[in-house]
């Protein structure tokens, strides 16, 4: 019998935290005073000629970094610091520390104010300014929000919801025909292409001539026909970077030669508005630093990097926004490539010069919130580095192979990250750029979703190409709700990948794909994985391999068959898998809860696999990713934002006219509802959530459909299905997965209504809802609690809570209300033991008391429930507090329904 407590004891010390209102990683004055060496203070009200004491702080961080040496600390008080921070190195036993003091946000701001605006005619204003970055890397912010560079067709503020023009089929590889192209001179503009028969990467070119309804361009189209404009399935493009595109408030254009910035001002004029422009690519530059700790800082319009020789750098509790911006996709330089240059390497454009960059060896990025990058979220390159516990989102919108996390090198650790809303992959390896062999990496306990927003041929976890992953383990990850074709994609002859205890659902045609691509696929393995709904063709596929020696697939559970082919010596081994027509009896496949019920045929039906199954409970290993009777492991981070999806409790959808549209809300991304006539304004879908839910974002996913997405729609909400009021969101544009974002609402019904006509019928594969904070009706996993007091957490549960010990979840959404608390726990029992549910603080009002009866020991797990005296509604911080003994119970998860 596996010992849960023994597993928990292996949890890292950093996983234990004391209750605090401060952000993760934020320093306090007491923290700083406890550091070895001297402590200096920095504050916006200070002066650089002062001493740097708490009463006489420095004005700039740069002045502080001039003073510090090994063991010294810069404590930085709240405020905005427009400077480039480049501290010296510390020592392994005495790092240099830059930390937020804890009295408010400390922002390293990479932008500078733009002033001196004058009327420029034609509804524009202009300012003379020297922007120091490359012309394609400029960014502008209007009143603290990213402003859109002038483009056609117009698009909304979300770069992952782009509006595309569609070229005529008469277009060719360097020419576009489009009768909707407006009048104007677009010469010199960038044309951004998502085109081809199966476009797995986007490209850019430069417009060389324009005429009525047509333009010529140079560049792009490196591989025809897969990535080529012309008579293709995909003929999408937009124009950016021309003065002629300026036609809506907030759009801008920079004339680099003249040093002049043009802007369409807000309605009412530019007076009273603030405009800033990006000036600094690397606000925190550690490229020549080692043994430095950066804690609790915020980055705005800039990024952070370590260097190829950096070691011992710790970055924690950082919040970064708009870290990288660019509008072109140039070919990587020859010296950046590890193999001979070739046209196909356009896919690796911007991988090495975007994102937060953890280079070198032995460096760590943890517990940080990193969002909004045209390119990579985090670049991990070198050896022995760690990226763990981070929330990475809204990145890679330019559509090359820049992912949430780019993993290069060997001995890297990538664990417990939540990666959401990426242009292409969530986690990727760029084979062209590997300088260090891809060996001995650990990629585990990551939650990857809403990937492939601007591509179709790819996956949330993507490997390419010809990589030898000797010693690498990809395990305990969850991939779901992505718009590509595969969940885990080991592409183009890569080998020796060990995949095990992974989960995939709503990933397209396949769960895992080993693609030999007319060459070898050697030593790839997949064990104890669980595949759910939304996988239409094969749970696991191996094809195209001239040699598949070492292939081994066992102990998997799936709702679709497997397709394994290819010669080998020994031949591929495929056995002990639970496949159709058998019913695995998942707990709740609609919501991705793929752990087995008590009557599942997967229990004790697996085989022993060295290094994978280990000790087991019962007569043998279970098939699938979860061992029945053990705590349910979870993936992803613990920061705010890491849990946002609204639980689908059996929603119903009806099309205008009364037709059933249940395929749009059945939780299965590979089923599709499609209208019976071309799109017309007024067509609608009405969704009944069954009970009132709280949500603030709606996603409409058309899967691989290239024609059925609407060009415009509104979203309205209702509590009773009769009174709707004004729409809460209006969306325009023509993107493949479309989001409507609005202030959080609590409602039972929502209606999506088209506002524009279209030549094709409306198609919806899945409607999903999201909100700030976890859904109370979902399983709140104890190991993902945002706050912990007096107890350790492992990969799947806590250790035993005693009196006063607690776990807490912030911003839990109850919607219409919950009246039952259920806790999965393990306990040896004690007289008056109980778990108390408290709201809003660990000492807040008691919403329920759950008496704890023994389950047979602290390794025997049972669900216990209690009715709440009063229904809880709205949103609350939720705390589970132990009382009545030194060893009350270990906790796996709780629900409030």
């Amino acid at each position: 019998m596996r010992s849960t407590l023994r597993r928990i004891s292996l949890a890292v010390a950093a996983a234990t935290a004391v209750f605090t209102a401060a952000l993760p990683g934020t320093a306090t004055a007491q923290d700083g005073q406890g550091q070895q060496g001297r402590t200096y203070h920095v504050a916006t009200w200070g002066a650089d000629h002062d001493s740097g004491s708490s009463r006489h702080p420095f004005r700039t961080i740069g002045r502080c970094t001039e003073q510090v040496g090994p063991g010294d600390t810069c404590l930085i008080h709240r405020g905005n610091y427009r400077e480039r921070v480049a501290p010296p190195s510390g020592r392994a036993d005495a790092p240099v520390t830059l930390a937020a003091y804890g009295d408010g946000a400390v922002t390293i701001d990479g932008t500078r104010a733009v002033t001196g605006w004058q009327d420029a005619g034609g509804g524009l204003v202009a300012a003379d300014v020297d922007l120091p970055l490359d012309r394609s890397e400029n960014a502008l912010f209007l009143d603290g929000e990213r402003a859109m560079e002038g483009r056609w067709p117009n698009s909304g503020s979300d770069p992952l919801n782009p509006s595309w023009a569609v070229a005529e089929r008469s277009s060719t590889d360097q020419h576009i025909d489009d009768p909707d192209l407006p009048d104007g001179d677009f010469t010199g503009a960038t044309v951004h292409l998502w085109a081809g028969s199966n476009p797995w990467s986007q490209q850019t070119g430069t417009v060389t001539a324009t005429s009525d309804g047509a333009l010529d361009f140079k560049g792009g189209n490196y591989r025809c026909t897969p990535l080529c404009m012309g008579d293709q399935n995909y003929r999408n493009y937009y124009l950016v970077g021309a003065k002629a595109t300026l036609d809506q408030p907030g759009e801008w254009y920079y004339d680099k030669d003249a040093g002049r910035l043009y802007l369409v001002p807000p309605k009412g004029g530019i007076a009273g508005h603030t405009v800033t422009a990006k000036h600094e690519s690397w606000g925190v530059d550690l490229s020549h630093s080692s043994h430095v700790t950066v804690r609790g800082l915020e980055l705005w319009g800039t990024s952070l990097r370590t260097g190829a020789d950096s070691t011992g750098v710790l970055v924690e509790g950082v919040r970064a926004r708009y870290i990288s911006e660019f509008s072109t996709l140039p070919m990587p330089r020859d010296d950046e490539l590890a193999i001979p240059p070739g046209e196909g390497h356009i896919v690796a454009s911007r991988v090495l010069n975007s994102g937060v960059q953890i280079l070198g060896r032995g460096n760590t990025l943890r517990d940080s919130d990193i969002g909004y990058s045209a390119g990579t979220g985090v670049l991990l390159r070198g050896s022995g580095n760690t990226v763990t516990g981070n929330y990475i989102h809204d990145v890679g919108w330019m559509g090359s192979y820049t992912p949430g996390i780019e993993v290069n090198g060997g001995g890297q650790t990538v664990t417990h990250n939540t990666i959401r809303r990426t242009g292409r992959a969530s986690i990727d390896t760029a084979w062209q750029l590997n300088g260090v062999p891809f060996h001995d990496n650990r990629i585990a306990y990551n939650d990857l979703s809403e990937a492939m927003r601007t591509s179709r041929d790819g996956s949330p976890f993507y490997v390419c190409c010809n990589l030898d992953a000797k010693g690498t383990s990809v395990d305990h990850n969850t991939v779901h709700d992505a718009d590509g074709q595969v969940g885990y994609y080991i592409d183009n002859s890569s080998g020796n990948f060990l995949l095990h205890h992974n989960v995939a659902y709503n990933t397209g045609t396949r769960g895992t794909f080993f693609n030999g691509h007319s060459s070898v696929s050697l030593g790839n393995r997949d064990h104890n994985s669980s595949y759910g709904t939304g996988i239409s063709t094969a749970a696991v596929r191996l094809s195209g391999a001239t040699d598949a020696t070492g292939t081994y697939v066992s102990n998997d559970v799936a709702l679709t068959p497997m397709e394994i082919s290819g010669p080998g010596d020994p031949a591929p081994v495929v056995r002990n898998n639970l496949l159709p027509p058998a019913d695995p009896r998942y707990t709740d496949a609609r919501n991705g809860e793929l752990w087995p019920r008590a009557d599942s045929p997967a229990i004790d039906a697996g085989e022993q696999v060295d290094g994978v199954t280990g000790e087991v409970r019962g007569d043998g290993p279970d098939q699938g990713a979860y061992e029945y009777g053990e705590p349910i492991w979870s993936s992803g981070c613990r920061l705010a934002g890491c849990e946002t999806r609204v639980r689908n409790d059996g929603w119903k959808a009806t099309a205008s006219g009364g037709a059933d549209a249940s395929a749009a809300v059945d939780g299965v991304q590979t089923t599709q509802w499609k209208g019976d006539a071309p799109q017309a304004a007024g067509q609608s879908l009405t969704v009944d959530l069954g009970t009132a839910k709280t949500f603030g974002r709606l996603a409409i996913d058309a899967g691989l459909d290239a024609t059925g997405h609407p060009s415009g729609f509104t979203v309205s909400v209702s509590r009773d299905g009769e009174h709707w009021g004004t729409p809460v969101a209006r969306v325009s544009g023509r993107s493949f997965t479309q989001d409507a974002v609005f202030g959080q609402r609590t409602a039972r019904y929502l209606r999506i209504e088209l506002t524009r006509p279209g030549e094709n019928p409306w198609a919806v594969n899945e409607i999903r809802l999201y909100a700030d904070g976890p859904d109370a009706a979902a399983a709140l996993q104890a190991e993902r609690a945002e706050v912990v007091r007096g107890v350790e957490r492992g990969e799947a549960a806590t250790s035993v809570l005693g009196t006063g010990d607690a776990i807490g979840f912030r911003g839990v959404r109850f919607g219409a209300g919950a009246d039952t608390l259920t806790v999965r726990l393990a306990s040896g029992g004690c007289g008056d033991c109980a778990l108390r549910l408290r709201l809003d603080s660990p000492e807040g009002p008691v919403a329920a008391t759950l008496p704890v009866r023994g389950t047979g020991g602290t390794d025997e797990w049972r669900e216990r429930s209690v009715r709440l005296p009063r229904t809880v509604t709205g949103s609350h911080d939720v705390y589970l507090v132990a009382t009545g003994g030194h060893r009350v119970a270990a906790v796996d998860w709780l629900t409030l329904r």
Side-chain angles (χ1 to χ4, degrees), residues 53-278:
S53 68
S54 59
R55 298 184 66 179
H56 301 283
F58 295 133
R59 169 64 183 84
T60 64
I61 303 170
R63 175 58 177 159
C64 189
T65 59
E66 290 175 354
Q67 303 301 309
V68 295
D72 293 346
T73 297
C74 293
L75 280 182
I76 310 165
H77 292 257
R78 68 181 186 276
N80 206 61
Y81 297 84
R82 284 193 162 106
E83 53 182 304
R84 179 173 170 270
V85 178
S89 294
R91 297 193 311 265
D93 62 339
V96 167
T97 299
L98 308 180
Y101 179 84
D103 57 352
V106 175
T107 302
I108 309 300
D109 192 336
T111 72
R112 303 293 183 269
V114 178
T115 58
W117 294 100
Q118 298 177 343
D119 182 79
L124 304 179
V125 294
D128 295 323
V129 59
D130 180 18
L131 300 183
L133 302 179
D134 182 86
R135 176 179 177 178
S136 67
E137 298 175 3
N138 288 317
L140 206 70
F141 300 89
L142 175 62
D143 296 332
E145 300 290 337
R146 178 180 181 267
M148 183 70 71
E149 187 173 7
R151 60 181 288 167
W152 182 86
N154 290 328
S155 193
S157 60
D158 181 359
L160 281 167
N161 259 6
S163 296
W164 298 92
V166 181
E168 296 291 296
R169 289 188 177 274
S170 57
S171 303
T172 62
D173 62 348
Q174 303 280 285
H175 175 84
I176 289 174
D177 289 322
D178 185 355
D180 294 328
L181 192 69
D183 294 336
D185 183 6
F186 299 103
T187 303
T190 295
V191 56
H192 190 123
L193 309 170
W194 183 8
S197 60
N198 183 24
W200 30 261
S201 183
Q202 293 178 30
Q203 300 174 56
T204 59
T206 302
V207 176
T208 57
T210 57
S211 59
D212 185 21
L215 61 83
D216 296 318
F217 65 93
K218 181 179 181 181
N221 299 295
Y222 285 95
R223 284 190 177 180
C224 289
T225 61
L227 301 176
C228 175
M229 184 62 76
D231 187 8
Q232 305 292 333
N233 295 334
Y234 294 81
R235 304 181 306 281
N236 305 292
Y237 76 99
Y238 64 78
L239 302 175
V240 67
K243 189 177 178 183
T245 62
L246 300 181
D247 63 354
Q248 69 174 356
E251 286 190 329
W252 58 273
Y253 165 73
Y254 183 57
D255 186 336
K256 180 77 170 178
D257 295 333
R260 192 148 228 243
L261 179 63
Y262 294 88
L263 176 72
V264 182
K267 293 180 180 179
I270 193 66
H273 296 276
T274 300
V275 178
T276 61
K278 183 168 183 171

